[in-house]
Amino acid sequence: YLWMNGLTYKLKPVKNTTPDGGMDFDLMSANILAENVNPVKTPQPGYLYRNLNRSDVYYDENVQRMVQNYRFNYMKLAQYSMSTRNDREKAKEIFKIMEKTIPIGVIPMQDWRISSYFMTIFNQLGDTSLFNLYSKSVETSALEAIGNNTTDTQDPFMPYRTLLDVYDARKDYAASIDLLQRALIKFPTGAQEIKTRIQFYEQQLKSPAAKIDSGKPK
């Protein structure tokens, strides 16, 4: 009976059928996507996203963590547009507004695994610009996690898997092979599966369609 309105849920005498709660799409859109909102003394939809896109403003760690809640609301709204309304263009528009309002270059994600989740959605939508922006951040953080041996205890292979997603999207098969060669040392019990994946990428490199950044055949 909880319906999402933005940063809050409203209890309504209408049962929802989704595990994450229902969504009042129109009201949530009015709250999340509102621009040029001015304070008034009467109720109105729309949030004041003040200074969240200014690099000259200092944001401490608590503020940066709190801001992730705003990004999740954009994501929920976009996912609803994709899955329930089958409107991919609206989802793209929502994410573009999100990046304009809360640029990742100003307020970074606190966890690269969350960034990778956003990155995957951008790739599904075919939004190359946002995918490239987030994938660069994910790549840096995931490589750092591997280098520092700070991988997830529940899924130690996650940074490797995430990086493979990045390299697959870029068709950077050489980088995938280098990464998996490192994984062979770290995960000897999964050697056969890793070697099979390496062979797959080696075949991709031999394909006439394989390209490097210079445009020459690999």
Side-chain angles (χ1 to χ4, degrees):
Y1 297 92
L2 292 176
W3 294 80
M4 194 172 192
N5 290 345
L7 292 174
T8 62
Y9 285 89
K10 183 176 182 179
L11 183 64
K12 298 171 65 174
V14 180
K15 189 173 183 178
N16 69 72
T17 58
T18 58
D20 294 331
M23 179 185 295
D24 188 330
F25 183 83
D26 292 334
L27 180 55
M28 187 163 174
S29 297
N31 282 327
I32 300 295
L33 304 179
E35 296 183 277
N36 303 317
V37 177
N38 295 308
V40 293
K41 294 182 179 180
T42 55
Q44 69 171 349
Y47 299 145
L48 290 170
Y49 299 101
R50 289 177 289 194
N51 298 324
L52 297 181
N53 58 358
R54 288 181 53 182
S55 58
D56 60 331
V57 174
Y58 173 70
Y59 308 93
D60 64 26
E61 185 179 352
N62 288 326
V63 171
Q64 291 189 38
R65 281 203 304 267
M66 181 181 67
V67 167
Q68 308 313 316
N69 293 324
Y70 304 156
R71 284 196 174 109
F72 273 114
N73 282 323
Y74 281 103
M75 181 182 68
K76 286 181 177 293
L77 199 59
Q79 286 181 318
Y80 188 92
S81 296
M82 293 168 59
S83 60
T84 304
R85 296 196 162 197
N86 196 28
D87 191 343
R88 295 168 63 87
E89 292 305 314
K90 182 64 176 180
K92 289 182 180 180
E93 177 190 346
I94 291 168
F95 280 127
K96 281 182 171 58
I97 294 173
M98 177 192 75
E99 186 57 27
K100 176 185 175 183
T101 306
I102 316 170
I104 191 174
V106 176
I107 302 182
M109 290 285 192
Q110 294 295 297
D111 191 320
W112 64 268
R113 290 164 292 192
I114 299 175
S115 300
S116 70
Y117 185 64
F118 277 82
M119 178 193 76
T120 300
I121 297 175
F122 298 149
N123 194 34
Q124 291 172 351
L125 284 172
D127 193 325
T128 305
S129 177
L130 283 179
F131 172 82
N132 289 337
L133 183 64
Y134 274 66
S135 66
K136 288 178 182 177
S137 173
V138 169
E139 182 180 19
T140 300
S141 299
L143 285 172
E144 183 179 341
I146 292 172
N148 295 336
N149 201 28
T150 56
T151 54
D152 193 319
T153 55
Q154 294 184 342
D155 185 4
F157 199 74
M158 183 175 184
Y160 295 88
R161 186 182 300 109
T162 300
L163 283 169
L164 288 175
D165 289 341
V166 172
Y167 299 147
D168 281 349
R170 297 177 184 169
K171 294 182 170 35
D172 191 347
Y173 306 123
S176 297
I177 293 171
D178 290 342
L179 179 67
L180 289 171
Q181 293 288 0
R182 296 175 65 179
L184 271 175
I185 301 172
K186 180 72 175 177
F187 305 100
T189 57
Q192 186 55 52
E193 183 179 353
I194 294 173
K195 288 178 180 178
T196 300
R197 192 76 178 265
I198 290 174
Q199 290 173 355
F200 167 77
Y201 288 124
E202 288 174 341
Q203 289 299 318
Q204 295 302 306
L205 279 176
K206 295 176 182 177
S207 169
K211 302 290 183 179
I212 57 175
D213 292 339
S214 64
K216 298 178 182 179
K218 287 187 177 181

